[in-house]
Amino acid sequence: MHLYDLWFILIALLWVGYFFLEGFDFGVGVLTQTMARNSTERRVLINTIAPVWDGNEVWVIAAAGATFAAFPDWYATLFSGFYIPLLIIVLCLIGRGVSFEYRAKRDSMRWQHSWEQITFWTSVIIPFLWGVIFANMVRGIAIDRQKSYVGSPGDLFNGYAILGGFATLVLFTCHGAIFAALKTDGEIRERARKLVPVLGLASLLLLLAFLLWTQANSGNGQSLGVMIVAFVALPIALFFNQLGREGWAFVFSALTVVASFAMLFLTLFPDVMPSTLNPAWSLTVSNASSASYTLTVMTIVAAIFAPLIIIYQSWTYWVFSKRIAVHHIPAGH
């Protein structure tokens, strides 16, 4: 295996890990307005992700940084071609983080309601745009001989990409509902459990359409196997949710997210960004990668620091593993 093949796998793992962790994070943000009935319940939902949301975002920073260093041409084409949706995502990530921190800074209900709206809408927009971006990466975009994107921003919002955006949004919301049921107690927990089957069915239908379309266009035997895993794991998650076994439901919900995005990378390889103008102009793991020396140094650094980050983040989840409920929120907060 070449080092550029290894780094494609590592970058894929970073993105898949990001979507697994931030998936339920975004889903909880959507539920703050669609499931919570008052400000206190919204506070409970926000508190379920408060200790971990910023740690989850480390994964996307690592993925972008690794792409920049290991595949500079991929990074340049990706961040120029998808400049507008990526800019919107960055602004939403900033606004979302600020909304968590500033919501409780004043007692004014209007103040809190405004920040809660920002939490909700950014949690809707970001996963939808990630779905659009990754769908276009798999489908291919207009890349010329100089490895530059020559299409328009409107070209990114085609039928396949929009389907990918909605499939991602609904899947993450279902993932978030299962996480909310796992992390809360009392009425909120029961309400989340009742919402999961509805979101799960919608996710299954959208995933079925999106992943089958993906498989038909650019799939292979490996992607087919992973797609089947995604389709099997989601009903199992719904089954455990009905039994009140939220832990196992979350495991299989996470497996659905991981398998779905892993399938996209399996259909993409060995390309990193296919060209719709001429297949010979596509960016691949070999023609878009850095020099061997750069990849060697990156491999050594990753081998040292990646395990430390995973251990630290796992410890954080362990420390904050207890359930919370409305009665844990002090009066006046």
Side-chain angles (χ1 to χ4, degrees):
M1 176 186 291
H2 296 285
L3 280 177
Y4 49 70
D5 294 327
L6 174 63
W7 271 98
F8 177 85
I9 295 172
L10 292 176
I11 289 171
L13 290 174
L14 287 171
W15 280 111
V16 170
Y18 169 67
F19 289 130
F20 155 51
L21 295 171
E22 279 277 86
F24 68 76
D25 200 324
F26 293 134
V28 170
V30 174
L31 295 176
T32 57
Q33 293 294 323
T34 57
M35 187 184 75
R37 294 178 178 175
N38 53 53
S39 183
T40 303
E41 291 188 352
R42 284 189 282 275
R43 171 68 180 272
V44 170
L45 289 175
I46 291 174
N47 281 6
T48 64
I49 59 175
V52 298
W53 69 266
D54 47 357
N56 294 343
E57 291 184 359
V58 169
W59 289 73
V60 70
I61 298 172
T67 304
F68 171 76
F71 299 98
D73 288 335
W74 183 11
Y75 178 91
T77 305
L78 173 66
F79 281 77
S80 60
F82 296 93
Y83 179 80
I84 292 179
L86 285 172
L87 176 62
I88 294 173
I89 286 175
V90 169
L91 293 175
C92 285
L93 287 172
I94 294 171
R96 189 168 180 268
V98 173
S99 72
F100 290 146
E101 301 296 333
Y102 276 74
R103 175 186 175 276
K105 295 299 183 182
R106 292 175 57 181
D107 293 333
S108 167
M109 291 301 296
R110 182 176 181 182
W111 170 273
Q112 293 184 10
H113 177 72
S114 298
W115 288 116
E116 288 167 358
Q117 288 294 317
I118 293 175
T119 298
F120 169 73
W121 285 110
T122 54
S123 297
V124 170
I125 294 170
I126 296 171
F128 175 78
L129 289 180
W130 278 133
V132 168
I133 289 171
F134 273 81
N136 276 293
M137 282 176 54
V138 173
R139 173 181 176 268
I141 58 175
I143 300 175
D144 64 10
R145 189 189 301 271
Q146 285 71 41
K147 302 178 182 178
S148 299
Y149 177 64
V150 293
S152 67
D155 294 339
L156 302 178
F157 292 90
N158 50 78
Y160 174 72
I162 291 174
L163 176 60
F166 280 115
T168 302
L169 173 59
V170 177
L171 177 61
F172 285 2
T173 306
C174 179
H175 193 36
I178 293 175
F179 180 78
L182 174 66
K183 284 288 294 176
T184 60
D185 208 354
E187 187 179 349
I188 299 182
R189 175 189 178 189
E190 295 304 318
R191 205 180 307 144
R193 284 184 55 204
K194 291 179 181 178
L195 188 60
V196 167
V198 178
L199 293 170
L201 179 60
S203 300
L204 191 61
L205 293 176
L206 287 169
L207 274 182
L208 187 66
F210 177 64
L211 295 185
L212 284 177
W213 193 343
T214 303
Q215 180 67 24
N217 280 350
S218 52
N220 50 55
Q222 292 177 322
S223 64
L224 176 61
V226 176
M227 181 184 71
I228 293 173
V229 171
F231 289 154
V232 171
L234 186 53
I236 295 176
L238 302 182
F239 172 73
F240 278 115
N241 175 77
Q242 291 298 106
L243 295 180
R245 303 290 298 275
E246 291 94 346
W248 282 109
F250 182 74
V251 168
F252 282 96
S253 174
L255 181 58
T256 304
V257 175
V258 168
S260 298
F261 283 94
M263 179 197 172
L264 299 184
F265 281 99
L266 286 171
T267 60
L268 190 59
F269 186 82
D271 291 339
V272 292
M273 293 195 76
S275 172
T276 56
L277 301 180
N278 188 335
W281 297 343
S282 298
L283 300 183
T284 67
V285 292
S286 57
N287 68 20
S289 67
S290 294
S292 178
Y293 178 78
T294 301
L295 298 179
T296 301
V297 173
M298 289 178 61
T299 304
I300 296 171
V301 172
I304 296 172
F305 289 102
L308 297 177
I309 295 173
I310 293 173
I311 291 171
Y312 166 75
Q313 196 162 14
S314 300
W315 177 78
T316 304
Y317 276 92
W318 174 259
V319 170
F320 295 99
S321 60
K322 292 183 179 180
R323 295 179 183 269
I324 62 174
V326 171
H327 65 267
H328 293 125
I329 306 298
H333 288 260

